[in-house]
Amino acid sequence: MTLQPSTTIQPALFPAEDPMITVNGTRDCVQCTRATVLLDREHVPYEYIDLAREENQPKLAALRAAGFQQMPVIETPTERFSGFDPDRIKKAAVEVRQSLASPTPDLDSPSLAAR
C-alpha cells in the first residue's frame, strides 16, 4: 500500500505580476483559518478565495484537476502548495515583503533606454 503525501507542491503556473499570496479555502476549514491568521501576523497582502461559493466552483475544479486534494491551496509568486505549512507560508511572506521593498525600474530612465 502506497501512501500519497499530504501536501502537493507545484511551481506557479505563471510568473506573478504582483507580489500577492492567494489562499484558496473554505470558511469552515481550520487549516485555512490558521493560514490567514499567520499571514495577518506576517503583515503581507493576500487574497482569500472562498471555494465554497458558487462563483468560485470553476477555480475549485481547476485546482482539483491540477491534483490538489487538501485545503488550503496557497498560491505564492513562485509556487502553489496545499495544506497548512507554516514554514512555506513564512517563506512566501518574506518573498512578498522583498518584492514590495525592491524599487521598480523606471522604464524612462536613460540607463534602460534602447541602444
Side-chain angles (χ1 to χ4, degrees), residues 36-79:
T36 58
V37 167
L38 180 56
L39 288 168
D40 288 339
R41 284 187 195 144
E42 292 291 324
H43 303 290
V44 292
Y46 67 90
E47 176 183 17
Y48 183 85
I49 297 178
D50 185 353
L51 296 174
R53 295 180 59 126
E54 184 66 34
E55 66 266 18
N56 295 326
Q57 292 304 296
K59 174 86 179 205
L60 175 60
L63 291 171
R64 284 184 177 159
F68 292 101
Q69 299 177 4
Q70 181 182 4
M71 292 294 149
V73 176
I74 299 174
E75 299 176 274
T76 75
T78 58
E79 69 179 352

Side-chain angles (χ1 to χ4, degrees), residues 22-113:
T22 302
V23 178
N24 300 282
T26 60
R27 295 287 175 201
D28 60 347
C29 166
V30 173
Q31 291 189 2
C32 302
T33 302
R34 291 176 65 197
T36 58
V37 167
L38 180 56
L39 288 168
D40 288 339
R41 284 187 195 144
E42 292 291 324
H43 303 290
V44 292
Y46 67 90
E47 176 183 17
Y48 183 85
I49 297 178
D50 185 353
L51 296 174
R53 295 180 59 126
E54 184 66 34
E55 66 266 18
N56 295 326
Q57 292 304 296
K59 174 86 179 205
L60 175 60
L63 291 171
R64 284 184 177 159
F68 292 101
Q69 299 177 4
Q70 181 182 4
M71 292 294 149
V73 176
I74 299 174
E75 299 176 274
T76 75
T78 58
E79 69 179 352
R80 301 186 306 167
F81 59 92
S82 62
F84 177 68
D85 186 336
D87 292 333
R88 273 203 141 68
I89 294 170
K90 288 178 183 178
K91 178 184 168 219
V94 168
E95 289 175 6
V96 167
R97 275 196 297 276
Q98 287 173 345
S99 293
L100 293 173
S102 64
T104 55
D106 181 5
L107 297 179
D108 295 327
S109 168
S111 64
L112 296 177

Side-chain angles (χ1 to χ4, degrees), residues 14-25:
F14 305 102
E17 291 184 13
D18 62 339
M20 183 68 108
I21 295 171
T22 302
V23 178
N24 300 282

